[in-house]
Amino acid sequence: MKAKHTEFARGIPKSASQASIFFFCGPDEAGASAAAEKIVKALPDAGERLDISGGDLKRDPAMLGDEARSGSLFGDTRHLWVRANGDEAHDAVKALIETSDAGAGDAAPVLIVATSATDKSRTAKLLEKRKDALVAMFYPPDLMSVAASVRAMGDAAGLRLGGDLAERIARAAGLDVRLAQSEVDKLALYMDASAQAPKTASPEDYGEIGAATEEDGFGPVVNAVLGGDLGKLSGEIKRIKELGLNPVGLLLALERRTAQLALISAKLGPRGSIENLGRGEKAQLGIFWKEERDIRAQLSIWQRPAARGGKESRLDRLIPRLIGLHQSLLANSQAAELLLAQDLAEIARYAARR
């Protein structure tokens, strides 16, 4: 089955209740991850979460079926969360459904968030016609849709948010619904709001706890790193500390741009050019005039072969590197700023090698 990404702004599609395998893809990794979180919350008994990387499944396709049919450490239920790059999980998913169809027994729910994959990928094609699977592609969000999601988050948390404030929170979160949810949760806690005791929030209230805006925060850092601009990077890293920007939030912004570059690269092919895209095609790929120059320069850097004569691009190596860094930041929150700064410098130096 297939679902539209807009359905997740209102909750979850009715078809999700029939599915046990979920494949969420597209350039909006934040939206895909947020949708997967909604699915988990809606599971009757989600149990323990087991994280698996797409790289591990590519090396050992049987692992997915083995883990999905195994109990948790304490014999409770579990669900599997897979972070994959493109079609890394294809062979593992194929093995899982083949063994299930052959009567191997019930399997735990499997949620796959696939960076740089699309609903035309092999994994999506494998699942889209099955009644026990759900495929959805998530496009780069616009301000109005994220603001609408923020207002819905506020309603659920007992916060009455005006349109201007919802837009402000959406901008501050860099149009990332996960960060926006965090901002709404903080504001609700600050105002002691709940569904039973709703409160009306003002811009002044949010000013007391709000994050730095995207314009003041993530964008310049992302461009310095992926553009290999070593001259600007040291100043940007210093500014990160001064503004107190969230390391995970910054990494998410970097992941979103990287996923966008991968999607554009797949659309254009090895000899294509952004200049040949129509306005509608650019909008669908999230290429807007303010960012087009930076995206074009970054694409030319990261589309290059990672090694002389090799088929793997620099982008192919960057994506798993960012996934690994994400896991490190979550596991080492105390050292997150230092870990992030070190990796940003290494990535920028790699990009600077012409």
Side-chain angles (χ1 to χ4, degrees), residues 74 83 162 184 190 237 247:
F74 299 103
R83 281 192 173 274
V184 170
Y190 172 74
I237 290 177

Side-chain angles (χ1 to χ4, degrees), residues 270-335:
R271 297 182 181 179
S273 170
I274 289 179
E275 287 79 0
N276 296 332
L277 296 174
R279 183 179 298 177
E281 291 176 303
K282 288 182 179 179
Q284 191 174 43
L285 292 167
I287 307 171
F288 303 106
W289 68 271
K290 285 185 177 181
E291 301 173 328
E292 183 170 339
R293 181 177 178 181
D294 291 318
I295 290 173
R296 189 187 298 118
Q298 291 159 20
L299 193 64
S300 69
I301 292 171
W302 293 98
Q303 268 188 321
R304 296 173 190 167
R308 186 173 297 176
K311 293 184 179 181
E312 187 181 45
S313 72
R314 290 179 166 189
L315 203 53
D316 292 329
R317 291 191 177 179
L318 175 62
I319 291 171
R321 172 75 178 265
L322 293 179
I323 292 173
L325 176 57
H326 195 128
Q327 293 170 340
S328 295
L329 294 189
L330 294 177
N332 302 279
S333 57
Q334 304 254 330

Side-chain angles (χ1 to χ4, degrees), residues 47-130:
E48 175 192 28
R49 168 171 162 170
L50 178 65
D51 289 277
I52 304 176
S53 73
D56 288 340
L57 294 183
K58 188 174 182 179
R59 287 187 290 273
D60 183 7
M63 177 192 294
L64 186 63
D66 292 343
E67 294 292 355
R69 295 189 181 93
S70 299
S72 73
L73 182 61
F74 299 103
D76 299 322
T77 58
R78 59 164 41 175
H79 63 279
L80 279 59
W81 187 292
V82 178
R83 281 192 173 274
N85 174 23
D87 270 323
E88 283 181 333
H90 174 271
D91 292 350
V93 173
K94 184 178 180 182
L96 173 65
I97 61 178
E98 285 177 348
T99 52
S100 293
D101 291 345
D106 294 336
V110 175
L111 301 102
I112 303 168
V113 177
T115 306
S116 79
T118 72
D119 57 358
K120 301 296 188 295
S121 64
R122 291 192 303 148
T123 313
K125 292 295 183 184
L126 182 68
L127 297 172
E128 64 182 10
K129 294 182 180 180
R130 295 184 62 89

